């Protein structure tokens, strides 16, 4: 039972570098999302997807790109990393949010530091 | 926009005692969900309990129960018979039942719970 798998678990970048955080789920979930968690803050939504080919912005989308070419994968791209993007990133997935019994499954997080 | 407020940045409880974590929220929706998540030092987000706003009955999960006051927009978590493994950050979260808000969890800033042996 893999659930939601995030890679890498830790990453250090220099300002201006680009990278992709990977997220994969094996539960055939339609909904996938990316959150960031900063010290003293709760999680905030960056982007989400309700199916392959469909993405939308969340609360804090600036500086991040996403795409959803398959049901299983939802990568998060930082095109030009900035120190303000130092954070812990969580990927989460679920069945359609409209279903009353849906449960959000979280990955184990990626600690990203931008120097 | 919906907001979730946790007014207690830190709490402590003696092992085997009971503790209540507070949460208030603001919404104009009538149908929504409320959640409590636990985040131990491992960083994993663990769903503790969920409440559906249309249900009058307070949700319970073993030693965890909530006091849901819809009119007051209050959603507190009670942990009974506290155990050392309950030590963690606890986040209250809100999600609308339908519309654009149904695709986003809005989190509070969290309460750090310490359990004293």
């Amino acid at each position: 039972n893999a659930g939601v798998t995030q890679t890498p678990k830790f990453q250090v970048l220099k300002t201006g570098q680009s990278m992709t955080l990977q997220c994969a789920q094996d539960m055939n979930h339609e909904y996938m999302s990316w959150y960031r968690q900063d010290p003293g803050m709760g999680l905030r939504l960056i982007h989400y997807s309700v199916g392959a080919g469909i993405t939308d912005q969340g609360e804090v989308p600036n500086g991040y790109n996403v795409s959803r070419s398959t049901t299983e994968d939802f990568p998060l791209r930082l095109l030009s990393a900035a120190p303000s993007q130092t954070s812990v990133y969580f990927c989460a997935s679920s069945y359609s949010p409209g279903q009353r019994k849906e449960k959000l499954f979280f990955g184990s997080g990626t600690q990203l530091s931008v120097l | 926009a919906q907001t979730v407020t946790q007014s207690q940045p830190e709490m402590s409880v003696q092992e085997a005692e009971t503790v209540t974590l507070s949460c208030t929220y603001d919404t104009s929706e009538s149908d929504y969900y409320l959640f409590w998540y636990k985040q131990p030092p491992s960083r994993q987000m663990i769903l503790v309990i969920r409440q559906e706003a249309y249900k009058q009955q307070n949700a319970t999960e073993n030693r965890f129960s909530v006091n849901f006051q819809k009119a007051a927009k209050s959603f507190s978590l009670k942990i009974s018979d506290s155990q050392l493994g309950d030590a963690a950050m606890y986040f209250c979260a809100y999600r609308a039942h339908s519309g654009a808000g149904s695709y986003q969890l809005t989190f509070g800033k969290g309460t750090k719970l310490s359990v004293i042996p």
Side-chain angles (χ1 to χ4, degrees), chain B residues 86-104:
Chain B
D86 295 333
M89 283 292 289
Y90 286 82
F91 292 98
C92 179
Y94 165 98
R95 180 172 75 73
H97 168 59
S98 61
S102 68
Y103 297 116
Q104 173 172 341

Side-chain angles (χ1 to χ4, degrees), chain A residues 34 44-48 56-62, chain B residues 103-104:
Chain A
W34 279 101
R44 292 181 292 169
L45 182 66
I46 304 171
H47 286 286
Y48 67 91
D56 205 346
Q57 297 180 353
E59 182 183 353
V60 289
N62 293 340
Chain B
Y103 297 116
Q104 173 172 341

